[in-house]
Amino acid sequence: MKLFSEMMAGQTLLPIIQADSVEQGVAIAKAMAEAGLKVVEVVLRSEASLDALTAIKQQLPELIVGAGTVLDKDILAQALAAKADYIVTPCVTPDLLAALAESGVPAIPGVANCADIALARDAGFREVKLFPASLAGGIPFLKAVSSVFRDMTFCPTGGINADNCADFLALPNVIAVGGTWVAKKEWVDAQDWQAITDACREAISK
Ligand code: 3PG
C-alpha cells in the first residue's frame, strides 16, 4: 500500500472540499485543479458528499480524491465503496485503525495527543493527521513530539490558514497542511471559483 506522502508526491497543501451539492463539489475541485493541485479531500459532512466524491473522480480523472471526516468503520466502508483514493480521519479508535490498516488505500488517522500517536503507531501508521492542530498544541506540540516520536510525520489540519501554513510546513516532521481556508464557504456560496484557485496558488507558493 502506498504511503500518504508518496501519494502526495511533494504536494504540501491538502485542500478540503465541503460540498452541499454534487455540482458545488465538482466546481470546487475544478478550481483546485486549476491551481495545479493533484490531490484533494472531500469531507463527508453533507448528504451530497459521497456523490460529489464520485462525480469529481468521474469528471476530473486526473485528480486523486480522498474522503475525510471518516469517523468509524461504517463511514469508511461507504468511502471505499465510493472509490475514495485515500482516507483521512479526525480521530482514532482501535476498530477504526484496524479497518484503515486493512483498507488497502493510503490513510492518515487523526491524532490529538501522545496517546493517540502511540495507538496509531501500534497499528502500523507512521504518517498521521494532527487535528485540531491549532487547539491540540500546534507548532510547539509538533516540535515537542519530534524528539520522542522520531519516526512519525504529520499533516496538521484545523486552524491552518494563509498566515500560519508556512510556519507549520517549515517543521521537519510536517508532510503537508490541510484545511478549508482555501475554499471558504462565502466564496463557494458566491460561486467565486477564482478566489479558490487564487488561495490554493498562494498556499502552494509558500
Ligand atoms: C478538517 O476536517 O480537517 C477540519 O475541519 C479543517 O479545519 P479548518 O476548517 O480549520 O481548516
Side-chain angles (χ1 to χ4, degrees), residues 9-89:
Q11 182 175 314
T12 55
L13 169 67
L14 189 59
I16 291 180
I17 298 175
Q18 304 192 86
D20 291 330
S21 69
V22 169
E23 296 70 28
Q24 225 176 46
V26 171
I28 299 168
K30 276 188 185 155
M32 291 171 171
E34 189 66 29
L37 293 167
K38 305 280 184 245
V39 184
V40 300
E41 175 191 340
V42 177
V43 287
L44 304 184
R45 297 183 200 161
S46 79
E47 291 297 314
S49 308
L50 283 169
D51 289 340
L53 190 156
T54 303
I56 293 166
K57 282 181 62 78
Q58 280 167 354
Q59 295 187 40
L60 299 161
E62 72 279 13
L63 280 185
I64 298 172
V65 189
T69 319
V70 174
L71 299 172
D72 58 36
K73 283 192 299 185
D74 294 341
I75 303 172
L76 174 62
Q78 291 171 20
L80 295 174
K83 301 273 188 290
D85 293 312
Y86 68 97
I87 301 292
V88 181
T89 82

Side-chain angles (χ1 to χ4, degrees), residues 16 41 43 45 69 129 131 157-160 178-181:
I16 291 180
E41 175 191 340
V43 287
R45 297 183 200 161
T69 319
K129 156 170 160 159
F131 179 79
T157 304
I160 311 298
T180 58
W181 88 95

